[in-house]
């Protein structure tokens, strides 16, 4: 199984578009109601543009979202504090079965002739169910993951209507994968010792 790189590929798969679901739920209609001289062709054009905007948002990287969720895990934060105390140190942390929730609420403002007609509210929810995960923490950052198993519940709603959802979809995490970059685990906590010099990294 190939790991889907983006939320879009996980939720929609290849070749599927959002135009149909948006039209089926009449999502744009109420927002366009005040526009005089509307035609079905114009409505379809607006729906197509809105689908494109929402589709761009679905380009979020699935593994990045999962890694971001680990920032709040207690065991990883504890390891991060210990490695912060000893720059250059590294810990390997095995995590029990756990859940990561990732929720996003972007919006799209709609204007006609310079006048705002309304706002299209979008909500993306992902729940990762993970087990058998081994993480590497170095200098208060998550730097690597040896993956176990993962399944995902995901849904996309627009104006409160669920357009597409997938429950329990398997996410084939690579046996060992490198993150795009270190994920800070204590970004919300000030370093009690102030700025430190990490071995091999210049501060100039």
């Amino acid at each position: 199984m190939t790991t889907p790189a983006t939320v879009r590929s996980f939720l929609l798969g290849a070749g599927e578009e959002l135009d149909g679901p948006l039209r089926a739920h009449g999502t744009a209609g109420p927002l366009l109601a005040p526009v005089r001289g509307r035609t079905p062709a114009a409505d379809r054009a607006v729906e197509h543009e809105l689908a494109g905007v929402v589709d761009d948002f679905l380009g979020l990287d699935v593994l990045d979202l999962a890694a971001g969720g680990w920032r709040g895990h207690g065991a990883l934060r504890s390891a991060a504090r210990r490695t912060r105390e000893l720059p250059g140190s590294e810990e390997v942390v095995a995590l029990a079965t756990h859940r990561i929730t990732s929720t996003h609420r972007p919006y799209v403002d709609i204007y006609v002739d310079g006048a705002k007609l309304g706002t299209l509210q979008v909500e993306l929810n992902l729940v990762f169910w993970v087990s058998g995960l081994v993480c590497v923490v170095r200098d208060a950052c998550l730097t690597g993951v040896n993956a176990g198993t993962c399944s995902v519940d995901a849904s996309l709603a627009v104006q409160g209507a669920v357009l597409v959802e997938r429950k329990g979809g398997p996410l084939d995490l690579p046996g060992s994968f490198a993150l795009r970059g270190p994920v800070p685990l204590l970004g919300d906590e000030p370093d009690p010792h102030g700025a430190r010099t990490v071995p091999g990294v210049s501060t100039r």
Side-chain angles (χ1 to χ4, degrees):
M1 184 185 300
T2 301
T3 300
T6 66
V7 173
R8 185 191 192 287
S9 59
F10 182 81
L11 265 179
L12 297 177
E16 295 188 41
E17 298 182 354
L18 290 172
D19 298 55
L22 279 171
R23 189 173 305 118
H25 286 84
T27 308
L31 295 175
L32 298 174
V35 180
R36 295 182 179 181
R38 289 170 53 206
T39 65
D43 283 3
R44 286 195 296 272
V46 172
E47 288 165 350
H48 180 72
E49 291 301 320
L50 291 174
V53 172
V54 177
D55 186 82
D56 286 345
F57 174 69
L58 297 182
L60 292 169
D61 187 283
V62 175
L63 294 181
D64 283 352
L65 293 179
W70 288 315
R71 289 190 180 98
H73 197 287
L76 292 178
R77 290 175 68 88
S78 295
R81 294 187 188 99
R82 291 191 294 270
T83 60
R84 183 173 62 184
E85 289 297 313
L86 187 59
S89 64
E90 182 176 284
E91 288 195 21
V92 176
V93 182
L95 299 182
T97 300
H98 61 285
R99 179 182 71 177
I100 297 170
T101 300
S102 183
T103 300
H104 309 264
R105 296 185 178 89
Y107 61 89
V108 181
D109 289 333
I110 299 176
Y111 289 81
V112 173
D113 294 331
K116 182 178 176 180
L117 292 183
T119 299
L120 195 75
Q121 303 288 348
V122 181
E123 182 168 328
L124 174 67
N125 287 298
L126 298 101
V127 180
F128 299 84
W129 302 91
V130 190
S131 62
L133 203 70
V134 178
C135 298
V136 179
V137 178
R138 181 182 177 86
D139 296 322
C141 294
L142 177 66
T143 58
V145 176
N146 294 308
T149 61
C150 179
S151 64
V152 185
D153 298 337
S155 66
L156 173 70
V158 177
Q159 299 297 82
V162 176
L163 300 188
V164 59
E165 64 180 336
R166 184 179 179 188
K167 292 187 177 296
L171 183 61
D172 185 28
L173 300 176
S176 178
F177 62 93
L179 305 173
R180 290 185 178 182
V183 178
L185 296 170
L186 300 176
D188 57 339
E189 291 186 12
D191 186 341
H193 302 285
R196 291 173 180 250
T197 301
V198 177
V201 178
S202 172
T203 59
R204 300 175 61 184

